[in-house]
Amino acid sequence: MPRYKLTIEYDGRPYCGWQRQANGWSVQAAIEAAVLAFAGEERTLFGAGRTDAGVHASGQVAHLDLTRDWAADTVRDALNAHLREEATSILSVEAVPESFDARFTAFQRHYLYRILNRRPPAALLRGQVWWVWKPLDVAAMDRAAKRLLGTHDFTTFRSTHCQAKNPVRTLERLDVLAAGDEVHIRASAQSFLHNQIRSFAGSLKLIGEGRWTDEDLVAALGARDRKRCGPVAPPDGLYLTEVEYRPGAKLRRFTSDAGNVSDEGDAGDVHDEAVADE
């Protein structure tokens, strides 16, 4: 059966999240409905990570199996034709081998968190950024962020509802950058815990405001206590920007602990940010 890799962007505001749910309309459900309208087949779409309500994506990846061997561009254009009323767009489609799995062959996931840091509130970007009016010390935030790199028990920075049994993750990148009147937090790892990036963003904001020091952040990490985390940032500013795959990567099989994909998306644990990603 032909398998297709879809690269997807969406505005998370109209949806209850990526994953199909009984209590609301999701990105997955919208695309599956488009597949049914286009190909006449009820198919399950498998995403690289589950994002929560209000979380956006500019580079979500999913895979889909269809009975007929369609041209990739035809699949892309036909799905987009049926998604015209949705806040979702299929950026590209490519045929891939059956060994490709959007979730389990992912090598790394990349997220962006956007903070609008100016006195006037957002008008055009409302729902797409976290508005913080108090000036932030970006250099201090970036310096502190580097203290979180590497392999740690991130219990402090995950939701109490996180389904992952193992709170240990390896954080490859956590950069804080000035971008005009925005502050961008960029994070990369193979997998994230539920609400991990939004928890980082909220704690780093305290650094930027001068309310926390680097040592406060390190102490919070070492405490392994959710109560020591700063306020969790809203979903508005979070974007899944890219999912990386290595050429020829083999499907990884996980133990029961790998059953959760996070909102911040992930490979190992199934849930957020990346699901319900946050």
Side-chain angles (χ1 to χ4, degrees):
M1 183 173 290
R3 177 163 293 186
Y4 299 90
K5 172 187 174 185
L6 283 61
T7 301
I8 308 159
E9 73 173 19
Y10 50 85
D11 180 339
R13 288 176 291 178
Y15 302 107
C16 63
W18 164 267
Q19 190 173 20
R20 188 189 323 108
Q21 299 177 42
N23 65 344
W25 191 236
S26 69
V27 180
Q28 181 188 30
I31 299 175
E32 288 175 347
V35 171
L36 178 61
F38 152 56
E41 300 181 52
E42 292 188 357
R43 292 293 175 184
T44 297
L45 186 70
F46 297 91
R50 293 157 43 187
T51 55
D52 280 343
V55 175
H56 317 292
S58 58
Q60 171 71 285
V61 174
H63 77 261
L64 170 72
D65 295 332
L66 294 174
T67 302
R68 180 174 168 181
D69 191 4
W70 298 90
D73 286 354
T74 298
V75 176
R76 179 199 61 204
D77 295 343
L79 292 179
N80 282 330
H82 292 286
L83 289 168
R84 287 175 182 166
E85 302 302 316
E86 297 288 341
T88 298
S89 178
I90 310 302
L91 300 180
S92 66
V93 173
E94 60 181 290
V96 291
E98 291 185 8
S99 59
F100 175 84
D101 187 290
R103 178 179 161 201
F104 292 120
T105 60
F107 166 65
Q108 201 164 59
R109 290 163 174 80
H110 303 277
Y111 282 87
L112 164 67
Y113 196 91
R114 298 172 62 189
I115 299 173
L116 180 64
N117 190 212
R118 69 184 191 190
R119 188 76 181 186
L124 297 178
L125 295 177
R126 185 173 299 173
Q128 300 174 45
V129 294
W130 181 19
W131 172 52
V132 175
W133 66 266
K134 188 175 181 179
L136 297 175
D137 185 336
V138 178
M141 293 170 69
D142 185 60
R143 183 177 60 249
K146 299 303 184 282
R147 305 291 293 273
L148 299 176
L149 293 176
T151 302
H152 304 283
D153 180 329
F154 284 107
T155 295
T156 298
F157 299 101
R158 71 164 174 167
S159 168
T160 55
H161 302 294
C162 182
Q163 298 173 15
K165 294 179 181 178
N166 184 358
V168 176
R169 291 291 182 273
T170 299
L171 185 62
E172 302 288 349
R173 178 187 184 186
L174 190 62
D175 293 336
V176 185
L177 311 164
D181 57 6
E182 292 188 24
V183 176
H184 289 177
I185 301 171
R186 293 191 175 273
S188 300
Q190 184 180 60
S191 65
F192 291 91
L193 299 164
H194 188 186
N195 284 166
Q196 187 175 355
I197 296 173
R198 289 167 58 193
S199 296
F200 286 163
S203 296
L204 290 172
K205 171 181 174 284
L206 297 181
I207 298 283
E209 292 175 333
R211 296 165 59 189
W212 273 19
T213 66
D214 294 20
E215 297 309 318
D216 290 327
L217 185 68
V218 172
L221 172 66
R224 302 177 185 177
D225 180 356
R226 181 62 175 171
K227 295 177 182 178
R228 297 288 297 275
C229 183
V232 178
D236 308 39
L238 186 62
Y239 295 75
L240 173 56
T241 60
E242 183 183 3
V243 183
E244 285 191 69
Y245 299 88
R246 283 177 168 171
K250 295 182 179 180
L251 180 66
R252 299 191 308 278
R253 295 297 180 184
F254 294 97
T255 63
S256 59
D257 181 41
N260 298 281
V261 179
S262 167
D263 110 24
E264 270 118 271
D266 65 345
D269 290 313
V270 178
H271 159 94
D272 154 273
E273 195 163 41
V275 186
D277 154 75
E278 300 242 358

